[in-house]
Amino acid sequence: MRAVVVPQPGDAEVLTVADVPEPQPGPGEVRIRVIAAGLNGADLSQRRGFYPPPPGAPEWPGLEASGVIDAVGPDVEPGRWSEGDLVCALLPGGGYAEYVTVDAGLVLPVPPGVDPVEAAGLPEVAATVWSNVFDLGALAPGETLLVHGGSSGIGSMAIQLAHALGSPVIATAGSPEKAAFCRGLGADAAVDYRTDDFVAAVRAFTDGRGTDVVLDIVGGAYIARDLDALATGGRIMSIAVRDRTPAAVDMGLLMSKRARLQGTTMRARPLAERVGIVAAVREHVWPLLASGDVRPVIDSVFPLADAAQAHRRMESSAHLGKILLRVS
């Protein structure tokens, strides 16, 4: 089968379409004939050599995909999944390919009314936002969420989910156009971080109280500013590192605010945890997609052979929402 491989770490140009062995489903797994795969920041980190795949995962990138089940391995619960089912899945890797195998517990049906190609952009962002903002971050209705990178795939899902579940949202973005895009998704306030101070904006929006949860995709110097913007009892959820300088944390302020700073990744978690997250996403997020209260936000779709161009699009930060690779 065809897959996009990374022969050596480097810039987008290293991505190469190559023939690799077609996977066979093992115990508890299904095989998906891939329609489309979603791009994520972790794919860029893997390509650069900073985020190797976990043991047992394919060497090529791709943390989410949509497609059709074409084989069911042994020990999959009878009746759970069948050949021909239209699905999407959270993957430990390998989505940039014509076929992928995955544990049956990480598979989701394509929500009613959602295009199968666009569904490829749902599993990773939905699982990341639900687990960090609503599970570990414990955002409750009425509490305020600060989302960095609000126009990204993660950001666009976080804004919509928080808005749909009754929380005010403040988003940061890199231009007036992106800020307007965030407001269109349901953000109550949007800050152009290139020209405005998001800490001051949070304080103004909350009458000085601060935000209850921060979803941070930057790290570095942002962490200290997140803490400044945080309400007493607030939670900072750090899920990516774009600024690789060490973060300086005022421990006195952290303690006086009784705040929590937590870092997480998704694919390194034990399988049972990821299966539990996917089950929660199906219970809580999928009905909102079926009703139209939340929708996939797609920036662009590239052919599999143009994976390098898709990566360059993501690295440019010009995108609004998810970037996808069309496989079949």
Side-chain angles (χ1 to χ4, degrees):
M1 68 171 185
R2 294 181 307 145
V4 175
V5 301
V6 185
Q8 67 278 329
D11 293 334
E13 287 71 22
V14 303
L15 295 174
T16 304
V17 176
D19 289 327
V20 300
E22 189 175 289
Q24 301 300 320
E29 293 183 335
V30 300
R31 185 173 68 182
I32 299 171
R33 177 173 55 79
V34 176
I35 294 174
L39 267 67
N40 290 278
D43 301 341
L44 276 60
S45 294
Q46 179 173 334
R47 191 202 74 217
R48 295 170 183 144
F50 299 133
Y51 193 40
E59 295 180 2
W60 44 94
L63 299 181
E64 58 188 347
S66 62
V68 177
I69 292 177
D70 84 326
V72 178
D75 301 330
V76 173
E77 181 183 344
R80 185 174 191 182
W81 298 111
S82 301
E83 292 182 23
D85 286 346
L86 189 60
V87 297
C88 53
L90 180 69
L91 308 170
Y96 290 17
E98 292 180 311
Y99 292 90
V100 66
T101 56
V102 62
D103 187 273
L106 299 177
V107 179
L108 291 155
V110 171
V114 173
D115 180 270
V117 173
E118 295 187 352
L122 289 174
E124 175 72 16
V125 294
T128 297
V129 172
W130 183 264
S131 63
N132 284 282
V133 174
F134 297 96
D135 183 10
L136 297 173
L139 182 72
E143 289 190 321
T144 300
L145 172 67
L146 170 62
V147 180
H148 290 307
S151 62
S152 67
I154 291 287
S156 61
M157 176 60 70
I159 290 169
Q160 291 185 87
L161 276 181
H163 176 75
L165 295 174
S167 288
V169 183
I170 307 165
T172 66
S175 69
E177 293 76 17
K178 288 186 174 183
F181 175 79
C182 293
R183 287 190 290 270
L185 292 174
D188 299 273
V191 183
D192 180 351
Y193 64 79
R194 298 183 188 276
T195 58
D196 297 314
D197 179 8
F198 73 78
V199 177
V202 167
R203 289 174 178 164
F205 181 80
T206 61
D207 294 325
R209 179 179 174 276
T211 187
D212 298 285
V213 176
V214 180
L215 186 62
D216 187 285
I217 62 169
V218 182
Y222 262 48
I223 299 299
R225 298 172 68 197
D226 291 340
L227 183 56
D228 284 342
L230 208 61
T232 299
R235 292 81 73 194
I236 301 170
M237 306 306 300
S238 179
I239 63 169
V241 181
R242 295 183 181 179
D243 177 357
R244 293 189 174 272
T245 59
V249 178
D250 183 338
M251 294 304 297
L253 183 59
L254 186 76
M255 290 185 290
S256 69
K257 288 193 172 185
R258 302 189 298 281
R260 173 158 56 92
L261 168 60
Q262 182 163 353
T264 71
T265 59
M266 180 60 68
R267 71 176 178 179
R269 297 190 193 192
L271 175 61
E273 288 188 20
R274 286 178 283 133
V275 169
I277 291 168
V278 167
V281 165
R282 184 168 184 174
E283 177 183 356
H284 298 287
V285 180
W286 252 227
L288 297 172
L289 286 158
S291 68
D293 292 316
V294 173
R295 60 182 176 86
V297 180
I298 307 303
D299 174 82
S300 49
V301 182
F302 292 83
L304 186 69
D306 290 342
Q309 186 178 347
H311 273 225
R312 284 191 290 268
R313 173 72 178 170
M314 178 170 277
E315 288 173 321
S316 75
S317 294
H319 60 290
L320 299 172
K322 292 287 294 188
I323 300 170
L324 307 178
L325 293 177
R326 180 68 185 258
V327 180
S328 64

